[in-house]
Amino acid sequence: AQTVTQSQPEMSVQEAETVTLSCTYDTSESDYYLFWYKQPPSRQMILVIRQEAYKQQNATENRFSVNFQKAAKSFSLKISDSQLGDAAMYFCAYRGDNQGGKLIFGQGTELSVKP
Amino acid sequence: DAGVTQSPTHLIKTRGQQVTLRCSPKSGHDTVSWYQQALGQGPQFIFQYYEEEERQRGNFPDRFSGHQFPNYSSELNVNALLLGDSALYLCASSLVGDLLFTGELFFGEGSRLTVL
């Protein structure tokens, strides 16, 4: 069975600085998707960034980028120029090929941003 | 364009009771997935509905059941509530074609269930 592990329960970053959140996963599949979702206090999960396993190029969305290491089964999220609005729970998630709406989430990392 | 809406936002039940949670998908979406998020944990997949049928199911007992209506809205029913069912229940929607290629889900704000 696939598993997703986030080993950092809490992280803190100074406003305008850069922070990296870690995620590792375990799978025997070769095709899959990886996601980072943000969950602010409003509780709504918001997609931050997505990576297809078959793509070697790391995904980037404005200030958010990932470091995808397929062989190491690692998928870290880098947030550059951190803003106060980035404070939230961040979840790493895995979806196997043809798994529809079934995501497997990690335990989450709570990010705080200091002014 | 309304996003995913869920009701009620909060509710309190006692052990042994039954509960129904409701979800309206984002406009244009045809699949609905339900997740349970216990306090301090990541969401866990309960099941997914498409074309009014349960298509996938996670590791949840038969006390958890669902339904999808012709307008794509969905209900989650939980019978014989246990204290451990206390959680945030999240609904997520997508267009099945998009789901195949991108896997992206759009989430609602959830229904917070407390079982006493």
Side-chain angles (χ1 to χ4, degrees):
Chain A
Q2 294 83 15
T3 58
V4 176
T5 303
Q6 295 178 249
S7 59
Q8 305 155 317
E10 299 177 351
M11 291 284 284
S12 180
V13 63
Q14 205 72 31
E15 194 176 8
E17 296 296 311
T18 296
V19 64
T20 299
L21 308 184
S22 300
C23 173
T24 59
Y25 59 95
D26 188 27
T27 184
S28 58
E29 297 178 316
S30 58
D31 293 328
Y32 49 87
Y33 295 87
L34 295 166
F35 306 86
W36 278 98
Y37 275 89
K38 170 185 176 181
Q39 188 177 40
S42 69
R43 310 182 315 199
Q44 184 176 24
M45 302 280 277
I46 302 166
L47 179 66
V48 174
I49 199 165
R50 174 182 64 241
Q51 175 80 43
E52 292 90 338
Y54 66 87
K55 290 185 177 180
Q56 294 186 347
Q57 186 174 5
N58 289 324
T60 299
E61 289 287 343
N62 301 314
R63 297 182 296 108
F64 299 87
S65 62
V66 298
N67 183 4
F68 173 49
Q69 300 291 326
K70 191 172 184 179
K73 297 179 182 175
S74 171
F75 183 61
S76 60
L77 174 69
K78 185 172 81 172
I79 306 175
S80 304
D81 186 26
S82 296
Q83 301 175 359
L84 294 177
D86 294 334
M89 282 292 289
Y90 285 81
F91 291 96
C92 177
Y94 169 100
R95 199 206 78 166
D97 197 24
N98 296 320
Q99 285 298 297
K102 181 180 180 180
L103 298 182
I104 300 170
F105 285 87
Q107 306 92 319
T109 296
E110 184 171 9
L111 177 67
S112 59
V113 181
K114 298 179 180 179
Chain B
D1 180 22
V4 179
T5 58
Q6 294 186 241
S7 64
T9 54
H10 295 84
L11 69 166
I12 300 173
K13 294 285 187 178
T14 57
R15 281 178 296 175
Q17 285 189 314
Q18 179 265 345
V19 67
T20 297
L21 308 178
R22 296 174 176 81
C23 172
S24 291
K26 181 178 168 66
S27 178
H29 285 181
D30 54 10
T31 74
V32 173
S33 299
W34 287 93
Y35 286 80
Q36 180 195 66
Q37 186 177 17
L39 194 63
Q41 301 294 318
Q44 284 193 295
F45 175 75
I46 303 175
F47 42 52
Q48 178 193 358
Y49 276 83
Y50 172 62
E51 290 186 332
E52 303 178 46
E53 291 188 11
E54 182 183 295
R55 300 292 178 168
Q56 280 189 297
R57 189 178 183 92
N59 189 26
F60 279 81
D62 291 344
R63 297 187 297 108
F64 290 77
S65 64
H67 189 77
Q68 185 180 33
F69 300 93
N71 67 353
Y72 308 118
S73 67
S74 177
E75 289 181 349
L76 165 65
N77 301 294
V78 187
N79 295 322
L81 284 167
L82 304 174
L83 296 179
D85 294 332
S86 294
L88 179 67
Y89 289 85
L90 296 168
C91 172
S93 74
S94 185
L95 188 61
V96 69
D98 290 346
L99 203 55
L100 286 172
F101 293 107
T102 70
E104 183 173 354
L105 296 177
F106 292 79
F107 284 83
E109 294 186 357
S111 295
R112 172 75 67 189
L113 171 65
T114 301
V115 182
L116 301 177

